């Protein structure tokens, strides 16, 4: 026996004859065909025709992608949203290739630089796939650092920096968030200069022109602070 194919359950003209398989014309919707058995020797046909349905499944839409980032080399989690009854296959290429993972969420292997992956929707029942893949960025961003040296007099304490108050010199650090959403490590090098003490000038007096002069001194001194004698605003001698 052979099979003849029809578009109606009875009567009509066959669209294909003497073939067990039938390749339809281009279809845009689900269509039923009817298979009729025929004895090739006698020409007798089956009493009824068997309905065979050519199903046209919907093609999934390209998914909506959600990028992800890490603030240093490492794994990054990205995601894509499939339609009902669908899943996501992840690729390294916009077309072709083999999937590296399946599922709405994908956590990459450790990466040192940003990589674009491609998400394709696939119907779980029919295996129909979206016509295009959605690019989704797994981004590696940078942690930034800055150093701010500041010298102030002790009288200017406390010193306020990044909403923190400091009462003595030293190295301080705060962790902020930079424009990319990663840590911004800010360092403060605070140098506090001791306040100067006032002392009274001692000695002095009058002397004859050409004479040896008279001694001049201070009532005290501050360790680590140089002193310079001035005459009418001009330095006299070396700093001590």
């Amino acid at each position: 026996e052979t099979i003849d194919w029809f578009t109606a359950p009875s009567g009509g003209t066959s669209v294909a004859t003497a073939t067990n398989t039938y390749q339809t014309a281009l279809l845009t919707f689900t269509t039923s065909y009817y298979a009729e058995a025929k004895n090739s020797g006698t020409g007798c046909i089956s009493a009824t025709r068997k309905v065979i349905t050519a199903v046209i499944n919907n093609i999934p839409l390209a998914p909506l992608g959600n990028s992800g980032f890490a603030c240093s080399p490492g794994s990054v989690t990205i995601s894509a949203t499939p339609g009902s009854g669908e899943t996501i296959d992840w690729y390294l290429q916009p077309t072709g290739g083999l999937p590296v993972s399946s599922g709405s969420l994908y956590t990459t292997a450790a990466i040192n630089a940003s990589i674009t992956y491609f998400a394709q929707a696939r119907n779980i029942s029919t295996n129909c796939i979206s016509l295009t893949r959605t690019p989704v960025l797994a981004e590696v961003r940078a942690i930034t650092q800055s150093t701010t040296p500041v010298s102030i007099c002790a009288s200017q304490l406390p010193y306020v920096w990044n909403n923190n108050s400091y009462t003595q010199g030293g190295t301080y650090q705060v962790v902020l968030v930079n424009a990319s959403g990663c840590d911004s490590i800010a360092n403060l090098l605070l140098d506090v200069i001791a306040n100067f003490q006032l002392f009274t000038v001692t000695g002095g007096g009058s002397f004859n022109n050409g004479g040896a002069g008279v001694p001049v001194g201070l009532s005290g001194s501050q360790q680590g602070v140089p002193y310079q004698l001035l005459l009418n605003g001009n330095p006299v001698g070396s700093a001590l």
Side-chain angles (χ1 to χ4, degrees):
E1 295 179 349
T2 60
I3 301 295
D4 294 337
W5 295 87
F6 296 83
T7 58
S10 61
T13 303
S14 62
V15 293
T17 59
T19 178
N20 291 340
T21 60
Y22 170 53
Q23 181 72 43
T24 73
L26 178 65
L27 299 176
T28 57
F29 52 87
T30 298
T31 303
S32 292
Y33 293 88
Y34 300 87
E36 182 179 79
K38 181 178 182 180
N39 187 293
S40 53
T42 64
C44 293
I45 60 175
S46 56
T48 59
R49 295 173 182 170
K50 176 70 174 180
V51 60
I52 306 294
T53 302
V55 178
I56 302 300
N57 295 305
N58 293 326
I59 295 176
L61 298 175
L64 176 65
N66 300 290
S67 61
F69 70 91
C71 292
S72 59
S75 298
V76 178
T77 298
I78 55 179
S79 66
T81 304
S84 177
E86 298 171 0
T87 189
I88 300 295
D89 293 328
W90 295 93
Y91 294 83
L92 290 170
Q93 309 89 357
T95 59
L98 296 175
V100 295
S101 184
S102 294
S104 298
L105 292 176
Y106 173 47
T107 299
T108 73
I111 56 177
N112 295 318
S114 300
I115 296 178
T116 298
Y117 294 86
F118 298 87
Q120 186 169 51
R122 172 173 53 85
N123 186 287
I124 297 173
S125 298
T126 67
N127 280 327
C128 290
I129 58 176
S130 56
L131 295 177
T132 60
R133 297 173 184 171
T134 301
V136 183
L137 179 63
E139 186 177 6
V140 176
R141 299 177 181 176
I143 295 174
T144 56
Q145 292 198 46
S146 64
T147 299
T148 304
V150 175
S151 291
I152 61 173
C153 294
S155 59
Q156 295 175 280
L157 293 172
Y159 182 76
V160 178
W161 179 72
N162 284 314
N163 297 319
N164 294 305
S165 181
Y166 302 98
T167 59
Q168 62 183 13
T171 300
Y172 302 97
Q173 184 179 92
V174 295
V175 180
L176 309 172
V177 178
N178 61 26
S180 66
C182 294
D183 287 347
S184 175
I185 301 173
N187 298 288
L188 171 65
L189 305 181
L190 182 60
D191 179 32
V192 178
I193 302 172
N195 292 326
F196 294 120
Q197 299 179 24
L198 297 179
F199 299 99
T200 302
V201 176
T202 61
S206 61
F207 62 93
N208 294 325
N209 186 25
V214 294
V216 176
L218 288 175
S219 61
S221 65
Q222 191 172 350
Q223 185 176 2
V225 177
Y227 295 89
Q228 174 69 56
L229 180 64
L230 301 177
L231 176 63
N232 298 323
N234 298 312
V236 176
S238 300
L240 301 174

